[in-house]
């Protein structure tokens, strides 16, 4: 396994190096729509990523975050728009720690079922960067992405000041600006904006007048940017509140909920607490959700309130009949209304799709469980979903079942804590690899990442493997997922289906890329994933060699892919080639 380092350049040097290799981007036929031209746009966009070493320097010298928000307004002006122009987009602004993407997806799909033309800006992307900007639920075309990319890039190039250190926006800022331009040009009826990180100082927060805001479940994440307590994180998330703009949140722990309440009161933002989905189902049929997992019910409850509020603010009559209201307790947030979801709302929830979150793919003897959980709270929800799905699946009449974990974790996340939550799932093999689809690819611009070196990601994978081995040695600790007093076959049980022990339990391997990991896991048995012959030496390890035989003979192979949305995206890129078209 070779350890290679990415070239050490500042973002400016990266851009110059790219232009030297590729020629001036003005020479590219930006509106021609060819796949090559789209890839050129993506490669140029990637030069706006912050190089790993430069990123560390920026973290150490981070200035006033309010100044960063003001800089975003300047970029917007240089791009040809004023903040006031964004009022036309009828924005729904969503933040939170877990479930914000799923909540946005539910909300967008509900409102699309009313015949509205929707825009949806989200992050990160799984396979192609154009997934981040959607019209009517579909990623914008390569042609539209290319056209808008070069138009914005040239405009910013023409107005930049070389003496300024903020001559070009970074990757996420650029895409946020581009989304605003696309949504205005395409004349959407509304835009659903998912916050990138935090809220108060996120670059999406330059908007002045959203129609409604929402905050999903809070947890610990991005502590280096947002703070290391739930209260600090809640303060950041509450930064999206606007005076007079209705906002909704789901049930939170008392301390962060109090912070949200205080933030809202300080600026006269009406903040409401969403009743559970069960309250909206009373007296009617149970609601069917397009996304699996019990935790999606909280996201759906928030999406229904946000969508209903938007419809009411815009004068729509068919927004759900009110049921008997529940009184709020003194000192607590007022409860959002309990209403009967309309048929169009029910249709929206039922047809919501959001790849990479509680997603199942059944392929021959393999079942892939894909979930980009990357915080302790979202990993708990992922494990519940995975165990319940295993409990429901049919057992093979004969032959063995094998459980495989494919894991990676990035940034400042506590990977040891995530792995500890996964350990009671009784995996036969734990596989670790970087979020790199293939070791060498000339057509993989969408998944390039300059913010870390290859050395760093491989060393991190080895650290994950060491954590996993230590957890196996400490198996004397009780299973935190088992519930005392419940029978294994009880309807509420989260216990695993019977799984006889194997002599190879807790075996682990590190691969240098996702493709090599999938080649070993599938052993040629996935009917759609048929890569070239594995490279020489891929099986030159006792665990890999013996495990290959086990996987070849297994009647069923269950693979959970989790820990990082970027990892899930790399897996989907290889398992579903159509997503790259």
């Amino acid at each position: 396994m070779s350890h290679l380092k990415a070239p050490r350049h500042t973002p400016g040097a990266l851009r110059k190096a790219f232009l030297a290799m590729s020629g001036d981007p003005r020479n590219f036929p930006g509106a021609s729509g060819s796949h090559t031209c789209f890839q050129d746009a993506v490669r140029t966009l990637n030069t706006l990523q912050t190089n790993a070493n430069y990123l560390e320097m920026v973290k150490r010298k981070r200035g006033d975050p309010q100044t960063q928000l003001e800089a975003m307004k300047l970029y917007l002006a240089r791009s040809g728009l004023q903040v006031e122009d964004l009022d036309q987009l009828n924005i729904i602004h969503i933040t939170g720690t877990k479930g914000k993407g799923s909540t946005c997806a539910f909300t967008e799909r509900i409102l699309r079922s009313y015949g509205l033309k929707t825009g949806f800006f989200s992050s990160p992307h799984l396979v192609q960067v154009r997934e981040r900007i959607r019209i009517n639920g579909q990623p914008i075309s390569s042609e539209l992405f290319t056209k808008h990319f070069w138009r914005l890039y040239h405009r910013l190039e023409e107005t930049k000041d070389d003496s300024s250190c903020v001559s070009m926006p970074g990757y996420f800022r650029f895409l946020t600006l581009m989304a605003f331009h696309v949504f205005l040009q395409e004349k959407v009826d509304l835009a659903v904006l998912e916050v990138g990180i935090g809220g108060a100082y996120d670059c999406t927060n330059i908007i002045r007048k959203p129609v409604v805001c929402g905050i999903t479940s809070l947890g610990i994440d991005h502590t280096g940017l947002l703070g290391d307590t739930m209260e600090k994180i809640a303060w950041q998330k509450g930064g999206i509140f606007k005076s007079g703009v209705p906002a909704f949140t789901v049930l939170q722990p008392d301390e962060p909920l109090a912070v949200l309440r205080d933030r809202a009161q300080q600026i006269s933002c009406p903040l409401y607490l969403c009743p559970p989905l069960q309250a909206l189902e009373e007296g009617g049929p149970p609601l069917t959700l397009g996304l699996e997992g019990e935790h999606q019910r909280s996201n759906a409850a928030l999406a229904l309130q946000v969508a209903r509020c938007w419809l009411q603010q815009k004068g729509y009559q068919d927004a759900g009949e009110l049921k008997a209201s529940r009184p709020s307790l003194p000192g607590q947030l007022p409860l959002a209304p309990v209403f009967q979801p309309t048929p169009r709302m029910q249709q929206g929830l039922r047809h919501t799709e959001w790849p990479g979150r509680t997603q199942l793919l059944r392929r021959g003897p393999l079942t892939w469980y894909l979930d980009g959980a990357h915080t302790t709270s979202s990993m708990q929800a992922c494990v519940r979903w995975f165990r319940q799905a295993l409990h429901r699946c049919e057992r093979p009449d004969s032959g063995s079942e094998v459980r495989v974990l494919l894991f990676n974790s990035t940034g400042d996340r506590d990977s040891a804590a995530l792995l500890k939550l996964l350990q009671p799932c009784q995996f036969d093999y734990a596989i670790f690899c970087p979020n790199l689809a293939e070791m060498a690819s000339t057509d993989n611009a969408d998944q390039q990442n300059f913010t870390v070196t290859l050395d760093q990601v491989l060393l991190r994978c080895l650290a994950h493997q060491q954590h996993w081995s230590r957890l196996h040695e400490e198996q004397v600790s009780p299973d935190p997922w088992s519930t005392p007093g419940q029978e294994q076959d009880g309807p509420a049980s989260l216990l695993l289906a019977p799984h006889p022990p194997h002599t190879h339990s807790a075996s682990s391997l590190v691969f240098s890329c996702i493709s090599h990991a999938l080649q070993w896991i599938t052993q040629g048995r996935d009917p759609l994933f048929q890569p070239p012959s594995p490279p020489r030496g891929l099986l030159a390890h006792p665990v890999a060699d013996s495990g290959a035989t086990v996987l070849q003979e297994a009647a069923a192979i269950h693979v959970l892919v989790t820990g990082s949305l970027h990892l899930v995206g790399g897996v989907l890129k290889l398992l579903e080639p159509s997503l790259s078209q």
Side-chain angles (χ1 to χ4, degrees):
M1 184 166 55
S2 61
H3 288 232
L4 304 174
K5 284 198 174 181
R8 301 190 178 191
H9 299 304
T10 64
L14 278 169
R15 281 195 290 278
K16 289 176 183 175
F18 175 84
L19 295 178
M21 288 186 293
S22 308
D24 191 323
R26 296 166 193 270
N27 297 327
F28 293 129
S32 72
S34 70
H35 181 68
T36 302
C37 190
F38 169 67
Q39 289 295 319
D40 289 336
V42 175
R43 290 189 183 97
T44 306
L45 172 66
N46 287 343
T47 68
L48 302 179
Q49 292 185 41
T50 308
N51 174 262
N53 301 285
Y54 183 74
L55 184 65
E56 285 304 310
M57 183 183 74
V58 170
K59 283 182 178 179
R60 289 193 299 269
K61 299 182 179 180
R62 186 181 299 120
D64 177 14
Q66 185 63 40
T67 304
Q68 303 297 317
L69 211 53
E70 293 303 317
M72 183 64 181
K73 293 178 183 176
L74 292 175
Y75 288 129
L76 184 71
R78 282 174 49 197
S79 77
L81 294 176
Q82 298 300 317
V83 174
E84 294 79 8
D85 297 324
L86 306 182
D87 297 346
Q88 305 171 41
L89 292 177
N90 299 317
I91 288 169
I92 295 171
H93 205 193
I94 303 289
T95 189
T97 305
K98 55 179 181 174
K100 63 182 189 286
S102 298
T103 300
C104 287
F106 278 130
T107 304
E108 182 277 330
R109 189 62 186 85
I110 289 169
L111 292 171
R112 184 156 35 105
S113 71
Y114 277 78
L116 294 161
K117 184 175 184 179
T118 63
F120 179 10
F121 177 63
S122 65
S123 60
H125 61 275
L126 291 177
V127 178
Q128 294 202 59
V129 67
R130 58 192 181 87
E131 298 165 24
R132 296 182 184 225
I133 304 174
R134 294 172 181 260
I135 302 291
N136 286 332
Q138 295 301 311
I140 60 173
S141 67
S142 299
E143 293 82 2
L144 195 62
F145 183 98
T146 304
K147 180 181 79 171
H148 281 284
F149 173 84
W150 289 119
R151 182 181 292 169
L152 177 59
Y153 189 89
H154 294 156
R155 189 170 290 164
L156 291 170
E157 278 280 319
E158 289 161 1
T159 57
K160 77 177 182 180
D161 177 3
D162 287 330
S163 64
S164 169
C165 62
V166 289
S167 57
M168 286 291 281
Y171 185 93
F172 184 77
R173 284 181 176 179
F174 188 99
L175 288 170
T176 306
L177 292 169
M178 185 170 153
F180 290 147
H181 279 272
V182 170
F183 295 154
L184 286 167
Q185 288 286 319
E186 295 299 310
K187 295 181 171 56
V188 298
D189 295 315
L190 67 119
V192 180
L193 293 189
E194 179 190 356
V195 165
I197 295 177
Y201 305 118
D202 185 75
C203 64
T204 63
N205 205 31
I206 61 170
I207 60 174
R208 302 183 316 156
K209 293 181 179 178
V211 176
V212 59
C213 298
I215 296 186
T216 67
S217 186
L218 298 180
I220 301 292
D221 195 18
H222 299 295
T223 53
L225 293 170
L226 306 180
D228 55 1
T229 68
M230 291 276 279
E231 291 84 351
K232 291 176 182 177
I233 289 171
W235 189 92
Q236 293 279 353
K237 304 292 183 181
I240 69 167
F241 294 154
K242 304 290 187 293
S243 179
V245 174
F248 297 84
T249 188
V250 297
L251 189 62
Q252 313 280 4
D254 290 343
E255 293 80 3
L257 190 61
V259 172
L260 293 179
R261 182 192 61 216
D262 293 345
R263 283 281 258 169
Q265 288 176 347
Q266 287 166 8
I267 61 165
S268 301
C269 163
L271 176 62
Y272 302 92
L273 185 64
C274 293
L277 197 62
Q278 181 182 352
L280 276 62
E281 291 175 316
E282 289 175 2
L287 295 168
T288 302
L289 306 185
L291 306 182
E292 290 201 10
E294 187 67 20
H295 58 289
Q296 295 292 358
R297 290 177 62 81
S298 170
N299 300 329
L302 177 57
L304 283 167
Q305 294 290 349
V306 167
R308 182 177 188 270
C309 180
W310 190 95
L311 290 166
Q312 286 186 317
Q313 296 277 346
K314 293 301 171 184
Y316 283 78
Q317 300 301 312
D318 183 21
E321 183 179 343
L322 278 179
K323 299 181 180 180
S325 61
R326 299 183 178 190
S328 303
L329 297 176
Q332 292 191 350
L333 285 179
L335 280 177
V338 178
F339 63 93
Q340 177 66 49
T342 67
R344 284 188 280 196
M345 291 175 178
Q346 296 174 37
Q347 176 192 6
L349 291 175
R350 189 166 57 248
H351 292 151
T352 298
E353 296 179 356
W354 196 227
R357 290 81 169 174
T358 59
Q359 181 180 3
L360 259 72
L361 292 176
R362 292 185 173 87
R363 312 268 280 261
L366 289 115
T367 303
W368 300 90
Y369 303 78
L370 305 165
D371 190 78
H374 51 271
T375 67
T376 52
S377 50
S378 60
M379 188 60 76
Q380 287 172 329
C382 169
V383 169
R384 287 192 190 98
W385 162 70
F386 176 63
R387 298 181 80 159
Q388 288 170 337
L390 281 176
H391 197 73
R392 289 195 303 265
C393 73
E394 293 184 13
R395 312 255 75 79
D397 295 331
S398 60
S400 64
E401 288 185 79
V402 179
R403 294 184 190 134
V404 180
L405 170 67
L406 180 56
F407 178 89
N408 192 32
S409 178
T410 61
D412 56 6
R413 279 143 193 142
D414 186 350
S415 54
L418 300 180
L419 289 169
K420 187 168 186 176
L421 291 169
L422 287 160
Q423 205 239 354
C425 289
Q426 302 173 20
F427 291 106
D428 299 298
Y429 295 97
I431 310 302
F432 306 100
C433 69
N435 299 337
L436 183 65
E438 296 167 287
M439 279 303 292
S441 174
T442 57
D443 193 26
N444 200 25
D446 285 279
Q447 307 229 331
Q448 286 179 345
N449 183 359
F450 296 145
T451 65
V452 288
T453 65
L454 189 55
D455 259 359
Q456 289 171 328
V457 296
L458 290 172
L459 287 171
R460 177 117 184 190
C461 291
L462 291 169
H464 295 157
Q465 186 184 39
Q466 291 168 356
H467 283 312
W468 186 259
S469 298
R470 280 198 294 271
L471 287 169
H472 178 54
E473 293 166 3
E474 299 166 0
Q475 255 184 338
V476 289
S477 60
D479 181 350
W481 294 100
S482 59
T483 306
Q486 284 188 336
E487 294 298 325
Q488 182 162 319
D489 295 327
S493 174
L494 294 180
L495 297 177
L496 285 169
H499 185 55
H502 295 291
T503 56
H504 56 267
S505 62
S507 297
S508 60
L509 290 166
V510 172
F511 289 96
S512 55
C513 66
I514 297 170
S515 178
H516 292 176
L518 296 192
Q519 288 178 57
W520 182 81
I521 292 168
T522 60
Q523 295 294 317
R525 302 182 69 191
D526 185 304
L528 295 184
F529 177 65
Q530 297 293 329
S533 299
R536 184 178 298 176
L538 185 63
L539 304 180
H541 187 285
V543 171
D545 197 15
S546 62
T549 303
V550 173
L551 291 165
Q552 289 163 7
E553 296 174 353
I557 304 169
H558 303 277
V559 188
L560 175 62
V561 183
T562 192
S564 166
L565 271 170
H566 299 286
L567 173 68
V568 169
V571 170
L572 278 172
K573 175 183 172 67
L574 296 171
L575 293 183
E576 299 273 28
S578 61
L579 295 176
S580 299
Q581 302 305 312

